[in-house]
Amino acid sequence: MSGEANSISESLYTKTFRFKSTIATPISTLAIALGIFGTVSVNNWCKIYGPAMLLSKIHLSTLSYINQSLEEIQKLLGPIPFSQWDIVIVPRCFSNLGFSSPYLAIVSPSTVIGKGLVSKISHEAIHLWYGCSVGLCNWNEDWFTEGIATYFEEYIHKIVLKKLGVQDYQEIAQIRKYMILKRYFDECSNEGTELDRKYIHFLTKESGDYVADGLAYSRSFSQYHYVTGYLIFDKLVCQIGSENFVKFVRTFAENNASRSVLAGDFFQGIKNLYDVPEDLYEIESSRQLMQIHKKVLNELNIKKVIDRILRCLSDKKKRKMADLSKLSNQYESEPLCYLLDMILDWNVNKIRCHSQLDSLVESCKSENGEVRHRICEVILKYDLKRHCDFITEFLGDFQSLGVYVYNEMWLSAKHWQKHLCKKVYNQLIDEYDHSTKLMLQDIMK
């Protein structure tokens, strides 16, 4: 529970757990996890709880990554604001990848089991400072806390990969940044708008001792506010430097612990210390950002590996899929995601031999949710009806990512895709939480 364990009392039929918090927090969130769970220690103040079957699947390198990332975060932001922070793996019906609260984070199994999503733990850990210790007066400014968490997720990830001896960590960081920009581009397309100077306007505190504008259920399925904040802070770092930015983020968190703030409070403090331009909060259009970063991406060595695989995919004489293991490891899947995005951008006629796509689908069955999500899109785009079981399994295992696939199937002109959409929804409806049900009902109206 989101508190320190205080006492346990037992009777014949019940066991009562009591918790307390010695630290004032500015938020109204209380997290509780119930179940007969096993535990794995990360360090002396962080444990992972979950069903024994799931805990047995956590790779030792994942635990090493989590421990290293938590150490690096404290070097940057100072000691953890709470006496402990435990991670609870919850069932697959959880509608998010992760949710952090004081003392406790609730995460989807996909974040710690399998490949490539473990950096999300760093994201949730950053929320102990920005989100739990320092809260928001208005949740319409969630781009502020999510932007900081997303920026430091990338910052920490690069440091940890280097310390763990992962080769090409700088190239991986560039690819991850490109993928963030692509999410921004996709979200802008979904929202039907572009970020501009009118979007970032700072709010004023409303009267009353409550948090204004709680999130709508549909917003939990959007990446818009994550990438909005990330791009603003990335631009700010370019203006004042990484060292100054990290120093200010730490000082602001220390000075505003147990308080609710507005984003304007943070940026006013920046203006008081540094000479920043008036257009700091203007974001270039998504197309401009993509073009700028593609120039950098084209110079990466990893591009040679991807090009070789693309040639194999488009060559009808080569029936065997090239080895994809070089594009995915325990910490990282972005190069493979980038490859799949390229395939999705192709004209359908460019793939002359579908047997190679069959090999691609088969080789990605054990990959993480982000990869399998893209494989589902490949199946839908290239009309690979014979792999509908892959989509069914994905929608069951990764329900927080499945909303996007449901939407594509429902809007499809292909009868089998719409039929599959209804079939899987009816199979899984009892597992979905309330927000997911509402979102899917909106899609299938």
Side-chain angles (χ1 to χ4, degrees):
M1 186 169 171
S2 51
E4 300 174 19
N6 190 20
S7 64
I8 302 174
S9 59
E10 296 186 53
S11 62
L12 183 61
Y13 299 108
T14 63
K15 180 181 287 188
T16 303
F17 297 84
R18 293 179 178 83
F19 296 84
K20 66 178 181 178
S21 177
T22 57
I23 301 173
T25 58
I27 60 175
S28 56
T29 300
L30 180 67
I32 301 175
L34 298 176
I36 306 300
F37 291 151
T39 180
V40 173
S41 292
V42 176
N43 54 40
N44 59 2
W45 53 268
C46 179
K47 293 186 176 78
I48 300 178
Y49 291 89
M53 182 186 70
L54 294 179
L55 292 178
S56 67
K57 296 180 180 180
I58 300 177
H59 200 277
L60 287 177
S61 60
T62 299
L63 295 176
S64 176
Y65 179 99
I66 294 173
N67 185 48
Q68 188 73 54
S69 65
L70 295 177
E71 288 181 8
E72 295 301 326
I73 290 170
Q74 290 187 95
K75 288 179 185 178
L76 294 174
L77 300 183
I80 178 176
F82 305 94
S83 60
Q84 67 188 61
W85 187 62
D86 294 324
I87 300 168
V88 178
I89 307 173
V90 292
R92 64 185 189 174
C93 57
F94 185 46
S95 61
N96 294 283
L97 284 175
F99 176 83
S100 190
S101 68
Y103 301 98
L104 181 69
I106 296 174
V107 301
S108 165
S110 57
T111 57
V112 291
I113 298 169
K115 298 179 179 180
L117 288 179
V118 69
S119 66
K120 301 301 177 187
I121 300 297
S122 299
H123 182 104
E124 298 308 323
I126 295 295
H127 281 313
L128 292 175
W129 285 264
Y130 282 85
C132 296
S133 178
V134 179
L136 288 174
C137 292
N138 190 310
W139 278 12
N140 278 326
E141 291 192 326
D142 58 347
W143 61 265
F144 171 64
T145 52
E146 294 299 350
I148 286 181
T150 303
Y151 179 85
F152 277 103
E153 176 188 342
E154 300 305 309
Y155 190 96
I156 293 294
H157 188 62
K158 184 177 177 180
I159 293 174
V160 174
L161 288 188
K162 182 180 179 181
K163 291 203 168 186
L164 292 175
V166 176
Q167 296 181 350
D168 303 327
Y169 67 91
Q170 291 181 319
E171 294 166 346
I172 288 172
Q174 291 288 351
I175 292 176
R176 285 176 67 95
K177 186 171 183 179
Y178 174 84
M179 300 301 293
I180 290 175
L181 294 177
K182 190 176 188 307
R183 286 207 305 271
Y184 170 51
F185 179 83
D186 293 340
E187 289 291 340
C188 284
S189 300
N190 293 337
E191 297 282 341
T193 184
E194 290 278 8
L195 288 177
D196 57 28
R197 69 184 68 193
K198 296 178 183 178
Y199 183 83
I200 300 303
H201 59 283
F202 296 113
L203 305 175
T204 56
K205 188 171 184 179
E206 299 180 15
S207 59
D209 296 324
Y210 60 88
V211 176
D213 294 318
L215 291 175
Y217 67 85
S218 60
R219 199 162 179 186
S220 63
F221 301 103
S222 172
Q223 296 286 309
Y224 200 56
H225 43 301
Y226 291 80
V227 291
T228 300
Y230 171 85
L231 292 173
I232 290 173
F233 289 117
D234 187 56
K235 190 171 183 179
L236 175 59
V237 169
C238 292
Q239 295 291 333
I240 68 173
S242 176
E243 186 176 340
N244 288 333
F245 176 68
V246 171
K247 182 180 178 181
F248 183 82
V249 168
R250 176 171 179 162
T251 301
F252 188 87
E254 291 171 348
N255 293 342
N256 291 277
S258 303
R259 290 181 55 202
S260 293
V261 302
L262 294 165
D265 301 334
F266 180 93
F267 286 96
Q268 186 58 53
I270 290 287
K271 286 184 175 181
N272 292 341
L273 291 174
Y274 306 104
D275 183 20
V276 294
E278 291 300 320
D279 67 349
L280 176 63
Y281 315 114
E282 294 180 35
I283 306 294
E284 293 86 350
S285 74
S286 61
R287 290 187 184 276
Q288 287 176 311
L289 286 167
M290 292 285 281
Q291 289 170 358
I292 292 170
H293 205 69
K294 257 189 174 180
K295 292 179 180 178
V296 177
L297 198 66
N298 286 336
E299 299 173 359
L300 299 179
N301 293 332
I302 197 77
K303 189 79 163 54
K304 296 177 182 178
V305 180
I306 292 173
D307 285 343
R308 176 173 58 80
I309 295 175
L310 294 182
R311 285 195 298 272
C312 178
L313 279 172
S314 59
D315 188 346
K316 62 182 179 181
K317 294 180 181 179
K318 294 182 180 179
R319 300 282 174 174
K320 188 177 181 181
M321 170 58 60
D323 182 15
L324 296 179
S325 61
K326 292 182 179 180
L327 297 182
S328 175
N329 59 46
Q330 205 65 32
Y331 316 112
E332 197 57 63
S333 63
E334 261 65 22
L336 180 52
C337 288
Y338 175 59
L339 164 66
L340 295 172
D341 284 342
M342 291 182 70
I343 294 173
L344 288 167
D345 287 340
W346 282 352
N347 184 288
V348 174
N349 296 326
K350 188 165 184 177
I351 297 286
R352 296 195 293 270
C353 183
H354 276 200
S355 64
Q356 284 137 4
L357 287 181
D358 291 334
S359 297
L360 180 65
V361 173
E362 291 298 323
S363 68
C364 290
K365 282 188 174 180
S366 62
E367 295 291 342
N368 68 35
E370 295 285 357
V371 173
R372 288 165 65 183
H373 177 202
R374 286 166 172 80
I375 290 293
C376 288
E377 292 181 340
V378 169
I379 293 170
L380 297 175
K381 177 172 181 176
Y382 292 100
D383 201 23
L384 306 178
K385 183 180 178 180
R386 55 193 172 278
H387 293 296
C388 61
D389 287 346
F390 186 101
I391 296 177
T392 301
E393 186 176 348
F394 168 81
L395 292 174
D397 290 343
F398 299 96
Q399 296 181 9
S400 59
L401 297 171
V403 169
Y404 304 96
V405 177
Y406 273 113
N407 188 57
E408 289 186 42
M409 289 194 294
W410 188 253
L411 296 177
S412 172
K414 302 284 175 48
H415 175 73
W416 73 268
Q417 294 185 17
K418 189 163 286 191
H419 175 74
L420 182 62
C421 180
K422 292 179 182 178
K423 178 183 175 182
V424 178
Y425 173 76
N426 289 330
Q427 287 176 350
L428 299 175
I429 186 171
D430 292 335
E431 289 189 36
Y432 289 135
D433 67 11
H434 186 60
S435 63
T436 306
K437 285 182 183 178
L438 291 175
M439 191 67 183
L440 294 177
Q441 288 167 5
D442 285 349
I443 288 173
M444 293 187 281
K445 279 182 180 178

